[in-house]
C-alpha cells in the first residue's frame, strides 16, 4: 500500500497549504478534521501487509481512536465553540494569508531537504513520512504564532500534534503506538480545557483576540491606582 500511503501523505501537505490560506474558521476546522481521518488511516496504510500480514489488534485500535478523536470529537468541540461565540473568521492575522501560504510552502521544501539529510530511509515506512511530519509540525507552530484568535491557535496545536503522529507512524510503528495514544490523551484533555477557556475569554472580554489579553498589563501600568491612602 505504498502508493496509497504516498497519496495520504501528499494530502497532508495540501491541507497544510489550504489551512495557511484560509480565514474561515469552519473551513479550517473541517481541514483539521480531514487530517484527523488521514492520521487514523496512516497506521493501516503504512503497515507492511505483504510481509507482516494482517495488522494486530493494537494497530486497528490506534487507527480507530485517532480517527474518532481527531476526526470527529475534537473538531466537533471546536465547531461548537465557534457557533457558541459566533466567531466565523480570522479577520486580522499577524501574517497575511497569501504570505502564510508562501511560508508554509517554504517549510515543506525545507522539510524535504532536511529529511534527506537525516539518511534514515531504511528505518521508515515511507520516504514521505519524515518530510511530511516536519512540514506538518512546522505548519502547526506557524499557525499558533501567526494567528490572533484563540480557536485558530488551538487548531494550530492540533496540526502540530498531527505532525508528531505522522512521525510516529512512519518511523516507530512498533513502539510509537503506545506513545501516540498517550499524546492523544494529553491533546484531548488540553483541547477540552482550551475549549472552556475560549468560552470564558469570550464571555469576559467579548472577543477571542489574544492580543487584547496582552494589552491588559500595559493598561494597568499606564493607569496606576493612586487612591490607596485615605
Amino acid at each position: 500500500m505504498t502508493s496509497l500511503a504516498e497519496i495520504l501523505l501528499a494530502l497532508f501537505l495540501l491541507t497544510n497549504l489550504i489551512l495557511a490560506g484560509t480565514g474561515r474558521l469552519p473551513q479550517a476546522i473541517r481541514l483539521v478534521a480531514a487530517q484527523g481521518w488521514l492520521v487514523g488511516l496512516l497506521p493501516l496504510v503504512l503497515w507492511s501487509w505483504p510481509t507482516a500480514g494482517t495488522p494486530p489488534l493494537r494497530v486497528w485500535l490506534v487507527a480507530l481512536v485517532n480517527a474518532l478523536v481527531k476526526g470527529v470529537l475534537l473538531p466537533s468541540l471546536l465547531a461548537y465553540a465557534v457557533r457558541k461565540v459566533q466567531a466565523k473568521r480570522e479577520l486580522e492575522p499577524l501574517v497575511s494569508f497569501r504570505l502564510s501560504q508562501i511560508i508554509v510552502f517554504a517549510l515543506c521544501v525545507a522539510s524535504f531537504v532536511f529529511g534527506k539529510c537525516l539518511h534514515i530511509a531504511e528505518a521508515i515506512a515511507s520516504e514521505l513520512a519524515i518530510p511530511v511530519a516536519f512540514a506538518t509540525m512546522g505548519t502547526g507552530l506557524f499557525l499558533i504564532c501567526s494567528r490572533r484568535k484563540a480557536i485558530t491557535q488551538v487548531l494550530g496545536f492540533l496540526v502540530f500534534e498531527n505532525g508528531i503522529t505522522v512521525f510516529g507512524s512512519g518511523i516507530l510503528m512498533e513502539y510509537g503506538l503506545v506513545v501516540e495514544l498517550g499524546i492523544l490523551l494529553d491533546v484531548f484533555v488540553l483541547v477540552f480545557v482550551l475549549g472552556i477557556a475560549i468560552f470564558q475569554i469570550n464571555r469576559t472580554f467579548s472577543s477571542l483576540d489574544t492580543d487584547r489579553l496582552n494589552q491588559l498589563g500595559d493598561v494597568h501600568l499606564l493607569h496606576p491606582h493612586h487612591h490607596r491612602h485615605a
Side-chain angles (χ1 to χ4, degrees):
M1 292 190 178
T2 304
S3 59
L4 181 57
E6 292 175 352
I7 292 175
L8 293 183
L9 291 170
L11 287 175
F12 256 100
L13 297 178
L14 181 61
T15 55
N16 290 338
L17 287 172
I18 299 176
L19 269 170
T22 184
R24 292 179 292 176
L25 294 179
Q27 181 184 13
I29 292 173
R30 287 193 294 269
L31 288 169
V32 173
Q35 281 195 352
W37 283 104
L38 293 175
V39 164
L41 290 173
L42 272 179
L44 300 176
V45 173
L46 292 175
W47 185 264
S48 181
W49 290 76
T51 58
T54 304
L57 179 61
R58 67 180 185 277
V59 176
W60 292 97
L61 180 62
V62 168
L64 179 62
V65 171
N66 275 328
L68 291 180
V69 174
K70 296 182 180 182
V72 179
L73 186 59
L74 296 182
S76 297
L77 174 64
L78 292 176
Y80 176 76
V82 168
R83 292 194 301 269
K84 195 72 174 178
V85 301
Q86 298 180 350
K88 296 182 178 180
R89 294 187 64 86
E90 176 81 40
L91 296 178
E92 298 179 356
L94 297 176
V95 180
S96 68
F97 297 118
R98 182 60 59 86
L99 181 58
S100 295
Q101 286 186 313
I102 296 174
I103 292 174
V104 168
F105 180 79
L107 285 173
C108 294
V109 175
S111 297
F112 276 89
V113 174
F114 180 69
K116 285 192 174 182
C117 294
L118 293 179
H119 301 295
I120 54 174
E122 68 278 358
I124 59 178
S126 172
E127 293 183 358
L128 292 180
I130 302 304
V132 170
F134 287 141
T136 304
M137 286 188 281
T139 301
L141 290 175
F142 175 74
L143 290 176
I144 294 172
C145 298
S146 64
R147 300 298 184 256
R148 296 178 186 270
K149 288 191 179 296
I151 291 179
T152 317
Q153 293 171 353
V154 173
L155 290 173
F157 179 81
L158 290 178
V159 172
F160 174 77
E161 202 278 327
N162 286 339
I164 295 176
T165 306
V166 172
F167 185 86
S169 299
I171 197 172
L172 297 172
M173 282 298 299
E174 285 296 324
Y175 301 103
L177 298 178
V178 176
V179 176
E180 289 169 19
L181 283 177
I183 294 175
L184 184 61
L185 179 61
D186 294 338
V187 169
F188 175 73
V189 173
L190 180 60
V191 172
F192 184 77
V193 172
L194 288 175
I196 297 174
I198 288 170
F199 289 131
Q200 295 300 326
I201 290 172
N202 188 73
R203 178 181 298 177
T204 304
F205 301 103
S206 299
S207 174
L208 293 176
D209 191 338
T210 53
D211 277 356
R212 296 191 179 184
L213 299 179
N214 296 331
Q215 296 172 3
L216 292 178
D218 299 335
V219 172
H220 177 72
L221 293 175
L222 290 173
H223 302 284
H225 296 288
H226 299 287
H227 304 290
R228 296 182 179 179
H229 302 285

